Amino acid sequence: MLPAKYSSVIVFFTTFWFYATLTHGSGFSHSTILDPHGKYNIKWRFDRRTISFEIEVETRGYIGFGLSPNGAMASSDIVIGGVTDGTPYLQDYFADANRKVHRDVQQNYRLQYGRENSTHTVLAFSRHLLTCDTSDKDITESTVRVIWAYHSEDGRKSMRLLDPGSKVNISSEIDFFNLQYINVPVPFKDTTYWCQIFKIQKFQKKHHIIRIEPLIQRGHENLVHHILLYQCDSALNESELKAGHECYHPNMPDSFLTCETIVFAWAIGGEGFTYPPHVGLSIGTSIDPVYVLMEVHYDNPAFQQGVVDSSGLRLFYTPELRQYDAGVIETGVWVSLYHMLPPGMQEYISEGHCTRECLQESLGQEMPSGVRVFAVLMHAHLAGRAIRTRHFRGQEELQPLSHDEEFDFNFQEFQLLKEERLLLPGDNLITECKYTTKDRQNMTWGGLTTRDEMCLSYLLYYPRVNLTRCESLPEINGQLKFIGVKEIQMPVTTWPFIIKSPKKYSNLSFTEAMDKYRWSKNRGKSFNEMVLQLPMNVRCSRWGQDEWSIQGTMVSPPEVKSEVKPPSMVCRSASEPHSGVVLLFTMGLTYSIVQTCLSL
């Protein structure tokens, strides 16, 4: 991925920048391990303008670190450094579209310090978030693909470098319990949703869950795509706690149907979630979960056989209660075949509405003063490219609740908001998903497999109210009319339902008719514009299988007069003073590195 050796003698000068208040290795609020062997460790911190890194790698050679638009070498922003004869060095490079590496004329990465011992090399450096340099990658709140290398080892990892949260160490004295499958045989097919009901251990008084983290069986990191936890009917009995079964299957146990209220969501790439100090997930009271259903989505496109999985969740809890009970609201597009994306589109936009009608009824009765959202998990599948959760109050659009302009299917986790957001009765939300289907030949359908699509936002909020889903779905008649359907067969006895006329679609299901239509980029664009204006079917659900009265009604999408984008930062050129107290002294060092170039 990054070059291991270079083709020429490189002679350059390095200017050291030192911070008067900097202590080596201190003050970093974020850290992670980039490689699977624990040899490439990174720490970082940031402010409004600048980000600083410290990288420690088990090597005495060079260290490569980069930011890539897609996880590949092409068009990436690279920094390469090390320690030679006791002197640290650092250089700013970039790779062009053909993966050829060039030294960046504008050197925006600033070496702070470097050292090595008999086993490890440490480099610390910083740069502006936005550098005004087209060869550099802007660092924003969206997902970034970090690429790394040392010796012959390299790799990539998706991260949010500007995540406002930091890892919180849970005391070893905090109790926990696991919800974990035991040797589930993963079926020989590309997509499986597997479900099992568990009983929460009995508590004599109320407790708060303060952290939930995944227990993914080693080697199954790409097999386990997401895990959802649902609250079930508390009247179930112990006989329901038996071996799991495939979810959404005609032969699944009836008890699964009682599990409707979402308690927690985890998706691939996430490292778990710690609740803020004033919020916890309540267990032990009469309205809290007694039985929970754990749903695991296994993504097995390679059709592996004989795979047995024992993944699950670990929940940390405490009797020391927080001020508020947390809840989860699922918002976005109601998962259905009525959510469809034409093929061959460079960009297609879907909108799922948490309507003002739903929030007015539910919050108006449950919490007229509103609830506060503190974290959001945005969820889509393979065609997803960007997601944002837009927030409206009256005729005014507020800043997005959350956004990711570089969505990565393999990295989906709760984003802790910089500031909690008040959600009031009469507000409305739009979960907006941008997709690309340019390499697909047929329609992409809303559905459960990774080749199907979803457009969802899971909102973590407090105080908990009786609202679990606030979603919408565009009505089907307008979509059928677009391709020329005139009549469907009545009564509807099959799913998908059958077309009656015109003749060219006669006796085809509506999904077959949509695939038969001759899609083009212009027709796809016109279809997209039409769908965004269609009336919407409202989903507004309570706990269990109950519904608010607004559910099932048709409403028109709100008229958006102007669009609010996430706040932008101003780029700063390399000639501007670097943030912090700098330049205790400056030293120029001349040296050469002679190595043979490896092909990229």
Short mmCIF file of all heavy atoms in Angstrom, two decimals, residues 465-497:
data_model
loop_
_atom_site.label_atom_id
_atom_site.label_comp_id
_atom_site.label_asym_id
_atom_site.label_seq_id
_atom_site.Cartn_x
_atom_site.Cartn_y
_atom_site.Cartn_z
N VAL A 465 -38.95 7.69 26.25
CA VAL A 465 -40.40 7.84 26.02
C VAL A 465 -40.89 6.64 25.22
O VAL A 465 -40.10 5.83 24.73
CB VAL A 465 -40.73 9.15 25.27
CG1 VAL A 465 -40.32 10.36 26.10
CG2 VAL A 465 -40.06 9.19 23.89
N ASN A 466 -42.19 6.55 25.05
CA ASN A 466 -42.80 5.40 24.38
C ASN A 466 -42.87 5.64 22.87
O ASN A 466 -43.94 5.79 22.29
CB ASN A 466 -44.19 5.13 24.94
CG ASN A 466 -44.70 3.74 24.57
OD1 ASN A 466 -44.11 3.05 23.75
ND2 ASN A 466 -45.80 3.34 25.18
N LEU A 467 -41.70 5.71 22.26
CA LEU A 467 -41.58 5.85 20.81
C LEU A 467 -40.36 5.06 20.37
O LEU A 467 -39.25 5.31 20.85
CB LEU A 467 -41.43 7.33 20.41
CG LEU A 467 -41.17 7.60 18.93
CD1 LEU A 467 -42.36 7.18 18.08
CD2 LEU A 467 -40.85 9.08 18.71
N THR A 468 -40.55 4.11 19.46
CA THR A 468 -39.43 3.26 19.05
C THR A 468 -39.08 3.41 17.57
O THR A 468 -37.91 3.26 17.21
CB THR A 468 -39.74 1.78 19.31
OG1 THR A 468 -40.91 1.39 18.57
CG2 THR A 468 -39.99 1.53 20.79
N ARG A 469 -40.08 3.69 16.71
CA ARG A 469 -39.79 3.87 15.29
C ARG A 469 -40.53 5.09 14.78
O ARG A 469 -41.72 5.27 15.04
CB ARG A 469 -40.20 2.63 14.48
CG ARG A 469 -39.28 1.44 14.66
CD ARG A 469 -39.71 0.28 13.76
NE ARG A 469 -38.74 -0.80 13.78
CZ ARG A 469 -38.78 -1.81 14.66
NH1 ARG A 469 -39.73 -1.85 15.57
NH2 ARG A 469 -37.88 -2.76 14.62
N CYS A 470 -39.82 5.91 14.02
CA CYS A 470 -40.38 7.12 13.41
C CYS A 470 -39.83 7.17 12.00
O CYS A 470 -38.76 7.73 11.76
CB CYS A 470 -39.99 8.35 14.24
SG CYS A 470 -40.73 9.90 13.67
N GLU A 471 -40.57 6.55 11.05
CA GLU A 471 -40.04 6.33 9.70
C GLU A 471 -41.10 6.64 8.65
O GLU A 471 -42.25 6.96 8.96
CB GLU A 471 -39.61 4.85 9.56
CG GLU A 471 -38.52 4.45 10.52
CD GLU A 471 -38.31 2.95 10.59
OE1 GLU A 471 -39.30 2.20 10.57
OE2 GLU A 471 -37.15 2.52 10.68
N SER A 472 -40.70 6.53 7.40
CA SER A 472 -41.64 6.74 6.30
C SER A 472 -41.27 5.85 5.13
O SER A 472 -40.17 5.28 5.08
CB SER A 472 -41.63 8.21 5.86
OG SER A 472 -40.44 8.50 5.13
N LEU A 473 -42.20 5.77 4.19
CA LEU A 473 -42.01 4.98 2.97
C LEU A 473 -42.78 5.64 1.85
O LEU A 473 -43.97 5.94 2.01
CB LEU A 473 -42.51 3.55 3.19
CG LEU A 473 -42.16 2.51 2.13
CD1 LEU A 473 -40.65 2.28 2.08
CD2 LEU A 473 -42.87 1.20 2.43
N PRO A 474 -42.14 5.92 0.69
CA PRO A 474 -42.88 6.55 -0.41
C PRO A 474 -43.95 5.61 -0.94
O PRO A 474 -43.73 4.40 -1.06
CB PRO A 474 -41.79 6.81 -1.46
CG PRO A 474 -40.70 5.84 -1.15
CD PRO A 474 -40.73 5.67 0.34
N GLU A 475 -45.13 6.16 -1.24
CA GLU A 475 -46.22 5.31 -1.72
C GLU A 475 -45.86 4.72 -3.08
O GLU A 475 -45.09 5.28 -3.84
CB GLU A 475 -47.54 6.09 -1.75
CG GLU A 475 -47.54 7.31 -2.67
CD GLU A 475 -48.06 6.96 -4.05
OE1 GLU A 475 -48.65 5.89 -4.22
OE2 GLU A 475 -47.84 7.77 -4.96
N ILE A 476 -46.43 3.54 -3.37
CA ILE A 476 -46.00 2.75 -4.52
C ILE A 476 -46.66 3.19 -5.82
O ILE A 476 -46.08 3.03 -6.90
CB ILE A 476 -46.28 1.25 -4.26
CG1 ILE A 476 -45.67 0.37 -5.37
CG2 ILE A 476 -47.77 0.99 -4.13
CD1 ILE A 476 -44.17 0.45 -5.50
N ASN A 477 -47.88 3.76 -5.77
CA ASN A 477 -48.62 4.04 -6.99
C ASN A 477 -47.85 4.98 -7.93
O ASN A 477 -47.80 4.76 -9.15
CB ASN A 477 -49.99 4.64 -6.67
CG ASN A 477 -50.90 3.62 -6.01
OD1 ASN A 477 -50.78 2.42 -6.26
ND2 ASN A 477 -51.80 4.09 -5.16
N GLY A 478 -47.25 6.00 -7.38
CA GLY A 478 -46.50 6.94 -8.21
C GLY A 478 -45.30 6.29 -8.85
O GLY A 478 -44.93 6.61 -9.99
N GLN A 479 -44.67 5.35 -8.14
CA GLN A 479 -43.51 4.66 -8.68
C GLN A 479 -43.91 3.74 -9.83
O GLN A 479 -43.20 3.63 -10.83
CB GLN A 479 -42.80 3.90 -7.56
CG GLN A 479 -42.31 4.81 -6.44
CD GLN A 479 -41.53 4.07 -5.38
OE1 GLN A 479 -40.38 3.67 -5.60
NE2 GLN A 479 -42.13 3.89 -4.21
N LEU A 480 -45.05 3.08 -9.68
CA LEU A 480 -45.54 2.21 -10.75
C LEU A 480 -45.97 3.03 -11.96
O LEU A 480 -45.72 2.65 -13.11
CB LEU A 480 -46.71 1.38 -10.24
CG LEU A 480 -46.40 0.32 -9.17
CD1 LEU A 480 -47.68 -0.33 -8.69
CD2 LEU A 480 -45.44 -0.73 -9.71
N LYS A 481 -46.63 4.15 -11.71
CA LYS A 481 -47.10 5.01 -12.80
C LYS A 481 -45.93 5.50 -13.65
O LYS A 481 -46.04 5.65 -14.87
CB LYS A 481 -47.89 6.18 -12.24
CG LYS A 481 -48.54 7.05 -13.29
CD LYS A 481 -49.36 8.16 -12.63
CE LYS A 481 -50.00 9.06 -13.68
NZ LYS A 481 -50.80 10.16 -13.06
N PHE A 482 -44.79 5.73 -12.99
CA PHE A 482 -43.62 6.24 -13.71
C PHE A 482 -43.20 5.30 -14.83
O PHE A 482 -42.79 5.75 -15.90
CB PHE A 482 -42.46 6.45 -12.73
CG PHE A 482 -41.23 7.04 -13.37
CD1 PHE A 482 -41.05 8.41 -13.44
CD2 PHE A 482 -40.23 6.22 -13.91
CE1 PHE A 482 -39.92 8.96 -14.04
CE2 PHE A 482 -39.10 6.75 -14.50
CZ PHE A 482 -38.95 8.13 -14.57
N ILE A 483 -43.27 3.99 -14.60
CA ILE A 483 -42.83 3.04 -15.64
C ILE A 483 -43.99 2.62 -16.55
O ILE A 483 -43.82 1.77 -17.43
CB ILE A 483 -42.17 1.79 -15.02
CG1 ILE A 483 -43.18 0.97 -14.23
CG2 ILE A 483 -40.99 2.18 -14.15
CD1 ILE A 483 -42.68 -0.42 -13.84
N GLY A 484 -45.19 3.20 -16.33
CA GLY A 484 -46.31 2.95 -17.23
C GLY A 484 -47.30 1.90 -16.77
O GLY A 484 -48.16 1.49 -17.56
N VAL A 485 -47.22 1.45 -15.53
CA VAL A 485 -48.19 0.48 -15.02
C VAL A 485 -49.56 1.16 -14.90
O VAL A 485 -49.68 2.26 -14.36
CB VAL A 485 -47.75 -0.08 -13.65
CG1 VAL A 485 -48.86 -0.92 -13.02
CG2 VAL A 485 -46.49 -0.92 -13.82
N LYS A 486 -50.59 0.47 -15.38
CA LYS A 486 -51.95 1.02 -15.35
C LYS A 486 -52.85 0.32 -14.34
O LYS A 486 -53.74 0.93 -13.76
CB LYS A 486 -52.57 0.95 -16.74
CG LYS A 486 -51.86 1.81 -17.78
CD LYS A 486 -52.52 1.69 -19.16
CE LYS A 486 -51.81 2.57 -20.17
NZ LYS A 486 -52.43 2.47 -21.53
N GLU A 487 -52.64 -0.99 -14.14
CA GLU A 487 -53.55 -1.73 -13.27
C GLU A 487 -52.81 -2.92 -12.66
O GLU A 487 -51.99 -3.55 -13.33
CB GLU A 487 -54.76 -2.20 -14.07
CG GLU A 487 -55.87 -2.82 -13.24
CD GLU A 487 -57.06 -3.23 -14.09
OE1 GLU A 487 -56.97 -3.13 -15.34
OE2 GLU A 487 -58.07 -3.67 -13.51
N ILE A 488 -53.12 -3.22 -11.42
CA ILE A 488 -52.57 -4.41 -10.78
C ILE A 488 -53.69 -5.41 -10.56
O ILE A 488 -54.87 -5.05 -10.56
CB ILE A 488 -51.87 -4.08 -9.45
CG1 ILE A 488 -52.89 -3.60 -8.40
CG2 ILE A 488 -50.78 -3.05 -9.64
CD1 ILE A 488 -52.29 -3.44 -7.01
N GLN A 489 -53.32 -6.67 -10.38
CA GLN A 489 -54.33 -7.71 -10.18
C GLN A 489 -54.89 -7.61 -8.77
O GLN A 489 -54.16 -7.52 -7.79
CB GLN A 489 -53.73 -9.09 -10.41
CG GLN A 489 -53.37 -9.37 -11.87
CD GLN A 489 -52.94 -10.80 -12.11
OE1 GLN A 489 -52.99 -11.64 -11.21
NE2 GLN A 489 -52.50 -11.09 -13.33
N MET A 490 -56.22 -7.62 -8.70
CA MET A 490 -56.92 -7.52 -7.42
C MET A 490 -57.82 -8.75 -7.25
O MET A 490 -58.39 -9.24 -8.22
CB MET A 490 -57.75 -6.25 -7.37
CG MET A 490 -56.91 -4.97 -7.47
SD MET A 490 -55.85 -4.72 -6.04
CE MET A 490 -57.07 -4.33 -4.78
N PRO A 491 -58.00 -9.26 -6.04
CA PRO A 491 -57.33 -8.81 -4.83
C PRO A 491 -55.86 -9.23 -4.81
O PRO A 491 -55.46 -10.14 -5.53
CB PRO A 491 -58.12 -9.52 -3.72
CG PRO A 491 -58.58 -10.79 -4.38
CD PRO A 491 -58.90 -10.40 -5.79
N VAL A 492 -55.09 -8.55 -3.98
CA VAL A 492 -53.66 -8.86 -3.87
C VAL A 492 -53.52 -10.15 -3.06
O VAL A 492 -53.88 -10.19 -1.88
CB VAL A 492 -52.90 -7.71 -3.21
CG1 VAL A 492 -51.45 -8.12 -2.97
CG2 VAL A 492 -52.96 -6.46 -4.09
N THR A 493 -53.02 -11.19 -3.68
CA THR A 493 -52.86 -12.50 -3.01
C THR A 493 -51.43 -12.98 -2.97
O THR A 493 -51.13 -13.99 -2.34
CB THR A 493 -53.72 -13.56 -3.73
OG1 THR A 493 -53.32 -13.64 -5.09
CG2 THR A 493 -55.20 -13.21 -3.64
N THR A 494 -50.54 -12.29 -3.67
CA THR A 494 -49.13 -12.69 -3.69
C THR A 494 -48.26 -11.49 -3.37
O THR A 494 -48.66 -10.33 -3.52
CB THR A 494 -48.71 -13.24 -5.06
OG1 THR A 494 -48.88 -12.20 -6.05
CG2 THR A 494 -49.56 -14.43 -5.45
N TRP A 495 -47.05 -11.77 -2.92
CA TRP A 495 -46.07 -10.72 -2.66
C TRP A 495 -44.75 -11.12 -3.28
O TRP A 495 -44.26 -12.22 -3.00
CB TRP A 495 -45.89 -10.48 -1.16
CG TRP A 495 -44.90 -9.39 -0.87
CD1 TRP A 495 -43.62 -9.54 -0.42
CD2 TRP A 495 -45.09 -8.00 -1.04
NE1 TRP A 495 -42.99 -8.33 -0.30
CE2 TRP A 495 -43.89 -7.35 -0.67
CE3 TRP A 495 -46.15 -7.20 -1.50
CZ2 TRP A 495 -43.72 -5.97 -0.73
CZ3 TRP A 495 -45.98 -5.83 -1.54
CH2 TRP A 495 -44.79 -5.23 -1.16
N PRO A 496 -44.16 -10.28 -4.14
CA PRO A 496 -44.67 -8.99 -4.61
C PRO A 496 -45.94 -9.18 -5.45
O PRO A 496 -46.10 -10.20 -6.11
CB PRO A 496 -43.53 -8.43 -5.44
CG PRO A 496 -42.31 -9.23 -5.07
CD PRO A 496 -42.83 -10.59 -4.71
N PHE A 497 -46.82 -8.16 -5.44
CA PHE A 497 -48.09 -8.28 -6.15
C PHE A 497 -47.87 -8.28 -7.67
O PHE A 497 -46.81 -7.91 -8.16
CB PHE A 497 -49.07 -7.18 -5.73
CG PHE A 497 -48.55 -5.77 -5.91
CD1 PHE A 497 -48.50 -5.18 -7.16
CD2 PHE A 497 -48.15 -5.03 -4.81
CE1 PHE A 497 -48.04 -3.89 -7.33
CE2 PHE A 497 -47.69 -3.73 -4.97
CZ PHE A 497 -47.64 -3.16 -6.23
#
